Amino acid sequence: MALTHFDAEGDAHMVDVSDKAVTSRVAQAESYIKMAPETFEIITEGRAKKGDVLGVARLAGIMAAKRTADLIPLCHPLPITKVSIELTPDASLPGIRIVATVKTTGQTGVEMEALTAASVTALTIYDMSKAVDKAMEIGGTRVILKDGGKSGRYEAT
């Protein structure tokens, strides 16, 4: 397998997807943000001074998915048809588990949009909570589902 974002001379380029079939595509990415138990309580009890941390983070993730092509240099701008962000408080971390789902009908997949959405959601939680917990940890960011297109379905194990 070759890296598709480089031509025969090794120069970076945007992949030509003009000959690919238009298909329904979906991708999911996950991430998490771990925090101190006190921070977890502030967020889950809605006591953050900046407001609804999870609500703002969800909107940030949705906005990020729509702007992925502006952030990732060789990423195609896509007509996204759906973005959802699932935020699950997990006392065992303690922290928030994030799953971003992105859909489109097009010639290339939406893995980068899902990864960007999950990442920016976590970063927003950090931003809104850093006044009480600078030691929060973001991790586990990965694609957990990709479906549609020539390469078919991928599910993380």
XYZ file of all heavy atoms in Angstrom, residues 2 16 18 23 32 41 54 56 62 65 81 91 96 101-102 104 112 134 139 148-150 156:
159
model
N 0.430 2.254 -0.711
C 1.165 3.512 -0.795
C 0.375 4.611 -0.097
O -0.846 4.538 0.040
C 1.382 3.879 -2.253
N -7.161 12.819 -6.259
C -8.223 13.009 -7.250
C -9.302 11.954 -7.017
O -9.070 10.767 -7.206
C -7.643 12.872 -8.660
C -8.665 13.120 -9.758
O -9.853 13.387 -9.438
O -8.274 13.045 -10.930
N -12.355 12.231 -8.528
C -13.381 12.465 -9.548
C -13.906 11.189 -10.197
O -15.049 11.165 -10.662
C -12.863 13.438 -10.607
O -11.698 12.944 -11.222
N -21.275 7.518 -3.052
C -21.950 6.557 -2.178
C -22.240 7.205 -0.832
O -21.648 8.224 -0.477
C -21.090 5.292 -1.939
O -19.878 5.668 -1.296
C -20.772 4.572 -3.242
N -11.585 10.704 24.596
C -12.021 10.902 25.979
C -11.216 12.030 26.587
O -10.156 12.410 26.080
C -11.866 9.628 26.814
C -10.435 9.178 27.008
C -9.600 9.795 27.939
C -9.915 8.137 26.261
C -8.287 9.393 28.100
C -8.609 7.724 26.415
C -7.797 8.361 27.345
O -6.489 7.967 27.500
N -17.441 16.327 38.720
C -18.675 16.704 39.425
C -19.177 18.073 38.984
O -20.379 18.267 38.763
C -18.449 16.690 40.940
C -18.282 15.294 41.499
C -17.906 15.291 42.977
O -17.974 16.356 43.629
O -17.537 14.213 43.475
N -20.852 20.707 28.443
C -21.111 19.657 27.463
C -21.906 20.170 26.267
O -21.656 19.759 25.127
C -21.797 18.463 28.126
C -20.997 17.805 29.253
C -21.743 16.597 29.811
C -19.602 17.414 28.801
N -21.851 23.272 25.021
C -20.941 24.072 24.203
C -19.959 23.165 23.468
O -19.678 23.358 22.282
C -20.199 25.114 25.066
C -19.109 25.816 24.268
C -21.183 26.139 25.627
N -19.523 19.811 16.366
C -20.301 19.882 15.127
C -19.699 20.915 14.181
O -19.496 20.656 12.985
C -21.782 20.189 15.434
C -22.426 19.001 16.156
C -22.545 20.550 14.155
C -23.780 19.309 16.784
N -16.397 19.631 12.607
C -16.575 18.681 11.504
C -16.816 19.426 10.197
O -16.267 19.060 9.151
C -17.736 17.733 11.801
N -23.885 15.681 5.637
C -25.339 15.589 5.785
C -25.776 15.388 7.231
O -26.946 15.592 7.546
C -25.899 14.441 4.920
O -25.259 13.214 5.299
C -25.651 14.713 3.435
N -17.682 7.974 35.346
C -17.077 8.182 36.662
C -15.840 7.325 36.864
O -14.988 7.647 37.692
C -18.112 7.899 37.759
N -15.170 12.333 30.482
C -16.220 12.292 29.473
C -15.728 11.488 28.280
O -14.636 11.736 27.752
C -16.606 13.714 29.005
C -16.911 14.643 30.186
C -17.763 13.654 28.009
C -18.091 14.242 31.035
N -20.140 11.158 15.161
C -20.621 10.464 13.970
C -20.836 11.492 12.870
O -21.481 12.517 13.103
C -21.946 9.729 14.257
O -21.748 8.814 15.330
C -22.443 8.984 13.027
N -20.284 11.217 11.694
C -20.421 12.127 10.556
C -20.877 11.315 9.349
O -20.374 10.220 9.101
C -19.091 12.845 10.246
C -19.259 13.801 9.072
C -18.573 13.590 11.476
N -22.139 11.596 5.018
C -22.191 12.332 3.762
C -22.605 11.380 2.651
O -22.610 10.160 2.836
C -20.830 12.984 3.411
O -21.011 13.918 2.342
C -19.805 11.953 2.992
N -11.836 11.970 8.600
C -11.155 13.148 9.143
C -12.132 14.085 9.832
O -11.808 14.685 10.862
C -10.394 13.894 8.032
C -9.234 13.097 7.456
S -8.093 12.438 8.701
C -7.571 13.926 9.510
N -6.046 22.091 35.300
C -5.117 22.190 34.168
C -4.495 20.842 33.818
O -3.854 20.699 32.784
C -4.040 23.209 34.480
C -4.590 24.629 34.496
C -3.525 25.628 34.791
C -4.015 27.046 34.837
N -5.341 27.317 35.263
N -7.237 11.765 25.299
C -6.601 10.607 24.692
C -7.580 9.689 23.995
O -8.778 9.941 23.939
N -18.822 2.644 3.677
C -19.129 3.253 2.393
C -17.879 3.382 1.550
O -16.763 3.383 2.053
N -18.078 3.427 0.269
C -16.941 3.558 -0.631
C -16.339 2.213 -1.002
O -16.784 1.152 -0.560
N -15.293 2.271 -1.815
C -14.662 1.076 -2.366
C -14.061 0.169 -1.293
O -14.106 -1.055 -1.403
C -13.583 1.504 -3.368
C -12.939 0.354 -4.122
C -11.991 0.848 -5.189
C -10.715 1.348 -4.527
N -9.657 1.671 -5.491
N -13.438 -0.867 14.481
C -12.347 -1.107 15.419
C -12.748 -2.236 16.369
O -13.917 -2.423 16.678
C -12.037 0.151 16.207
